[in-house]
Amino acid sequence: MLPFSLGMALTIRVGYFLGKQDVDAANHTAKTGLLLALCSATCTASFMVFGSSVITGIYSPDKQVQLIAATLLFFSAVFQFPDALQVSSIGILRGFKITRLPMVYTIVAYWLVALPLGYALGLTDIFGQPLGARGLWMGLVAGLSVAAGAARDLGHRRDLAAPGFAVLAVGEDDIPFGHGCHAPVFTPP
């Protein structure tokens, strides 16, 4: 929930600065937010990895169950990084009023990468022995990594405004599919 909360806050702050026509502050907020997201992911992942025996011990006294759960907690720890990047990047893009392409990228990453790959790795013998829950987690991490990478790529390709310019509008109709994001700008009088 921490990355999601941060993503929502980034949407608000970036939108606020764009409303003030301060693109530099919006970009600074975006960079700072991504750094904070990675720091929070590092903290939660570290807690999951180094505290896995304590966490699993809360739920079951059975050592075999704890061992299986600790393995899955490792995947959950790895999951923290693409999750933090994806949800923060999506929040930033929402602040810049870029919503359609991130939605498409996320749908593709979840439904065409994460679920099929997780199913194939976890429940079928397409890639060898079925890996069970570990395979499902691998698919989730891979799909979320694709979504995070696509969102970050879209964020890097956006060309909102040069310093000293004011943003008139950055809407979904201003973004040609697959050609980057270019917002209309005008020079101040």
Side-chain angles (χ1 to χ4, degrees):
M1 290 309 293
L2 183 61
F4 180 72
S5 301
L6 181 58
M8 296 305 294
L10 286 168
T11 298
I12 293 165
R13 293 296 292 171
V14 167
Y16 169 77
F17 286 121
L18 285 181
K20 285 180 62 175
Q21 300 182 356
D22 190 350
V23 176
D24 290 335
N27 286 326
H28 178 73
T29 299
K31 289 175 188 173
T32 303
L34 286 173
L35 182 61
L36 185 59
L38 287 175
C39 288
S40 71
T42 300
C43 291
T44 56
S46 297
F47 176 71
M48 288 179 187
V49 169
F50 297 118
S52 63
S53 60
V54 173
I55 296 169
T56 58
I58 292 170
Y59 294 98
S60 175
D62 185 342
K63 294 296 181 190
Q64 186 65 21
V65 171
Q66 289 180 7
L67 181 63
I68 293 168
T71 301
L72 296 178
L73 272 176
F74 173 76
F75 289 108
S76 181
V78 172
F79 183 86
Q80 298 302 306
F81 293 98
D83 181 46
L85 284 177
Q86 187 259 353
V87 76
S88 297
S89 297
I90 296 290
I92 290 165
L93 291 169
R94 276 191 202 118
F96 282 111
K97 298 181 183 174
I98 300 169
T99 58
R100 190 173 294 156
L101 283 179
M103 178 191 68
V104 170
Y105 290 164
T106 302
I107 289 170
V108 168
Y110 292 176
W111 289 96
L112 299 181
V113 177
L115 286 175
L117 184 60
Y119 176 80
L121 288 171
L123 302 175
T124 70
D125 59 358
I126 293 172
F127 298 109
Q129 276 301 94
L131 299 174
R134 291 179 303 147
L136 294 171
W137 269 101
M138 288 177 188
L140 284 173
V141 169
L144 196 57
S145 297
V146 168
R152 284 304 312 136
D153 179 60
L154 184 58
H156 284 298
R157 288 190 297 143
R158 69 177 162 68
D159 180 17
L160 291 172
F165 284 61
V167 176
L168 284 174
V170 184
E172 294 161 359
D173 297 329
D174 303 317
I175 304 166
F177 187 80
H179 297 294
C181 305
H182 303 284
V185 295
F186 74 95
T187 52

